[in-house]
Structures are given as C-alpha cells and as structure tokens.
Amino acid sequence: MSGTSTLAAPRRRRGRLGWNLLGLLVFVTVGFPFYWMLNTAFKPAKDAIDPDPSLLPTGLTLANFRRALNIADFWGAVGRSLIVSLSVVAIGVAVGMLAALAISRFAFRGRKVVIVGILAVQMVPLIAMIIPIFLLLNDLGQYDRLTGLLLTYLTFILPFTVWTLRGFIVNIPRELEEAAMVDGCSRTGAFLRVVFPLLAPGLVATSVYGFIQAWNEYLYALMLLSQERQTATVWLANFTTKHGTEYAPMMAGATMMAIPIVVLFLLVQRKMAAGLTAGAVKG
C-alpha cells in the first residue's frame, strides 16, 4: 500500500508540472501581443520599424504618447466611445435582465421560439448585417449619429446578455422567491431583495463583456459614423496615411485605448471571476 502511494506521488508532481508548463505557455502566447504593444509604444519611433527588432526595449520615450495625443480629436473620440459603451451596458443589462427573468420564470406562448431566436441571432455574422443596418438607420434618420450606433450595438450584445443572465436566473431556486412572497413581499419585492443580490456576479460579467464589445468594435463605427464623430478604435486609423504607418504612436494610442478596459477589470475582477464560474446553464 505504501509502495503504491510512493509511486503515485511523483506522478502527481509530474502531472502538476505539466499543467503548470501548459498554463505558462498559454500565458506567454496570450500576453505577448500586449507586451509587444507596450514595448513598441515606449520605444523610439525609428526602432519600431527596425527590420531586426529587439524583444527587450533599448530606450524608453514618451514622445509617442505626445504624438498620439496631438493627432486629430483624441479626447473627443474617447468621450464618444465612453458614451456609447456605457449606454450599451446600461440599456443592455436593464433590458436583458428583464427579458431573461421573463424567459426563466414565466411560461408563455412562444417561449421556446424566443429562446431559439436569441441563439439564432448570435449565429449571424456581424458583417452580413452591415447593409441592412445601414439602410434601416438611414431611413430612420439615425445614420451618422451615436444613437444609431448604440442601437446597432444592442442588436448583437443584447441577445448574449439575455442568454447569459437566463443561465444565472435559472440556477437561483424558485423557493427563495416563494419564501419571500410568503413573508409578505410582492413579486417585485422578492426579485429586488432575493434574486437581484444573487444575480450581481452575472450582471457584472455580462456588463464587462458588453463594455469590451462596444469599446473595441471597429467595423460598424467606421461604416456608420463620419470622421467628425469617430470613436476611439476608428481614431487609431489616423496613424495610417499615404506616407505610411506610424507604428510607435499607433501602439501608444492603442495602449491608451486599453487603459479603460484594464481599470474596469481591476475594479470588478472578483465579481467577474464569480460570475464566470457561477453561470452554468440548466433547464
């Protein structure tokens, strides 16, 4: 018996070592583009186009950031991106939560059709909807408006929000709501006092997803907004001109674009982790 356990211990250590090496490889693979962006952002512009680049920074400078801030309307683009992204999150989470609650807690005619429709919408490639959305927004007078871009983002963020929050709500026992209603709460009061606090991790996870999707989206922002109303991701295209691409200032601009996402994640990382692990779908 002791001999078996003695042999099993080295195998477990080798197994852990293998998984640790695999995790390290995944981390390096995923993190290298971000490192290269920072490396290029802080190196002199001439080193950014060196045909034999160095993995380690040879010299640090803030000139690229100053150059990025002086190109076009940086703060205007950032402000417009924040307005659109935060509005998408607020509307998407509010509407998505109510829709997910209705699908999860109420039996109504066409419920399965709605669920299948939500899944089907997510299967449609975004690029396939550009022309229909452009024509629709043009007819509604919403072309080249932030409200039009907001409505467009909701078409692909809202279905994901509904489907994800449905998984969280399904996992919250009905008995908790029924017990609260027996104690005198209305259905709305039971939801606000019992379901809503338990739903917080899911709301955080879906909010972060929606914000990242809206903040990083490029194609629709490029097609539906003029240069005067461009968002932050489209603003990065200002570094590509007929004389070539300014890679170092572009990476400096991309670094500044990543700061809101990093800050948001650091603020909600605990809730985010809880939301990602608690949202298993059943039923």
Side-chain angles (χ1 to χ4, degrees), residues 62-73:
L62 296 177
N64 299 319
F65 291 88
R66 289 193 291 269
R67 169 65 176 157
L69 291 173
N70 290 330
I71 285 185
D73 183 19

Side-chain angles (χ1 to χ4, degrees), residues 124-146:
V124 179
L126 295 181
I127 194 172
M129 298 189 293
I130 288 181
I131 295 178
I133 287 178
F134 170 80
L135 296 176
L136 180 60
L137 292 180
N138 191 48
D139 291 340
L140 295 175
Q142 293 298 313
Y143 175 72
D144 196 21
R145 291 172 179 258
L146 293 182

Side-chain angles (χ1 to χ4, degrees), residues 41-54:
F42 285 99
K43 67 171 54 174
K46 61 181 180 60
D47 293 341
I49 56 176
D50 191 334
D52 187 21
S54 173

Side-chain angles (χ1 to χ4, degrees), residues 157-174:
I157 291 177
L158 190 55
F160 174 85
T161 302
V162 173
W163 182 254
T164 304
L165 291 180
R166 173 187 175 271
F168 286 96
I169 295 175
V170 165
N171 282 333
I172 299 175
R174 291 175 179 266

Side-chain angles (χ1 to χ4, degrees), residues 101-114:
L101 181 65
I103 294 173
S104 305
R105 288 294 192 253
F106 301 101
F108 55 88
R109 183 176 300 176
R111 177 174 174 269
K112 291 184 178 180
V113 175
V114 172

